[in-house]
Amino acid sequence: MGIIVNMTIAVDLVLLTIRQSRLQVLLIRRGIPPYEGQWALPGGFVLPDEDLEEAARRELREETGLDPAAGHLEQLATYGAPGRDPRGRVVAVAYLALLPDLPIPVAGSDAAGAAWRPCDELTRGELAFDHDQILADGLERARAKLEYTPLATAFCPPEFTIADLREVYERVWRTTIDPRNFHRKVTGADGFVEPVGRSVARDRGRPAQLFRRGPARLLHPPLLRPRDGDQP
């Protein structure tokens, strides 16, 4: 006969955006034990009448004030190691959200603060629970999916320039990309972007053409990350 284990289900959110030309993640400073005063990913327990995605969407609205349809939301992974939460047996289902630039967040009722933090400034062990690993997994998922899906457009407003899109790739991939090669690859990928028919003035140089996301679900050909020795 098996042993019955009392288990609680939670959702954790890896909310990524590009602010001030840097890839940043939304973190909350915990106002209650455990890990009081430490930074953590936003999240919470799943309510009795919710399924997992409903809980993730509710948390996203509460943390950002945005309709989840404003960006991209997908299930990332499940984390259930014994002892990951000192309060008991808690299994967390993590979701990855990619969003356009957002305002400064307001902390929830059980948090001492909330802030966008540059991903490259965080140190191992800085986050509560196993959130270091969840964040690392979310970053790798985002970096990989930029290669073969139009996911980068989730960081952009509805209308954007190719330079705006290139900045997304550079910040997420942590590299520098040749502008001409990138323009050729993006506009040559079937259904990746579509011209809006208007341009926007820039501080220097000629006006830049505006685009919107096209109908493609996968990129053909894909945009591959530069490897060591490659020329972006």
Side-chain angles (χ1 to χ4, degrees):
M1 182 176 178
I3 299 175
I4 298 175
V5 178
N6 292 323
M7 184 181 301
T8 303
I9 306 298
V11 292
D12 289 324
L13 299 176
V14 180
L15 305 179
L16 301 177
T17 195
I18 293 181
R19 288 174 54 82
Q20 302 170 338
S21 296
R22 302 180 76 178
L23 180 64
Q24 303 201 26
V25 60
L26 180 63
L27 298 178
I28 58 101
R29 189 181 292 279
R30 291 185 57 79
I32 58 175
Y35 301 105
E36 184 175 2
Q38 197 165 342
W39 290 103
L41 297 171
F45 295 116
V46 178
L47 301 179
D49 59 346
E50 290 180 316
D51 68 17
L52 292 172
E53 187 163 327
E54 285 176 339
R57 290 179 178 275
R58 172 178 54 80
E59 290 289 343
L60 180 58
R61 282 191 295 268
E62 291 176 359
E63 298 293 346
T64 67
L66 285 184
D67 185 326
H72 173 84
L73 180 70
E74 68 175 69
Q75 191 173 124
L76 175 62
T78 301
Y79 300 83
R84 64 172 299 275
D85 191 320
R87 294 169 293 188
R89 193 74 165 96
V90 179
V91 172
V93 181
Y95 281 79
L96 173 65
L98 308 181
L99 302 160
D101 187 11
L102 298 174
I104 296 174
V106 177
S109 57
D110 60 350
W116 290 104
R117 298 279 307 278
C119 295
D120 58 4
E121 286 186 357
L122 297 173
T123 58
R124 191 74 179 178
E126 184 174 353
L127 302 185
F129 306 102
D130 52 358
H131 291 184
D132 286 318
Q133 186 60 55
I134 297 175
L135 175 58
D137 293 344
L139 289 171
E140 179 53 32
R141 171 74 65 85
R143 288 168 181 145
K145 292 196 76 169
L146 258 60
E147 294 189 272
Y148 59 90
T149 75
L151 196 58
T153 58
F155 287 108
C156 298
E159 297 181 358
F160 51 85
T161 67
I162 298 297
D164 295 332
L165 191 61
R166 188 180 77 250
E167 182 181 26
V168 171
Y169 278 87
E170 290 183 331
R171 300 302 170 248
V172 176
W173 283 352
R174 297 174 297 179
T175 190
T176 301
I177 299 174
D178 179 77
R180 291 187 178 181
N181 286 342
F182 182 78
H183 192 286
R184 174 178 54 80
K185 291 177 180 179
V186 167
T187 55
D190 296 338
F192 186 2
V193 296
E194 297 177 335
V196 174
R198 295 184 294 106
S199 298
V200 61
R202 293 300 192 192
D203 294 335
R204 293 176 294 178
R206 61 184 182 182
Q209 189 176 8
L210 286 170
F211 292 83
R212 58 173 169 258
R213 177 174 175 167
R217 301 288 295 275
L218 297 174
L219 297 184
H220 181 72
L223 276 71
L224 301 180
R225 277 180 280 183
R227 277 20 182 210
D228 292 340
D230 291 350
Q231 293 296 320

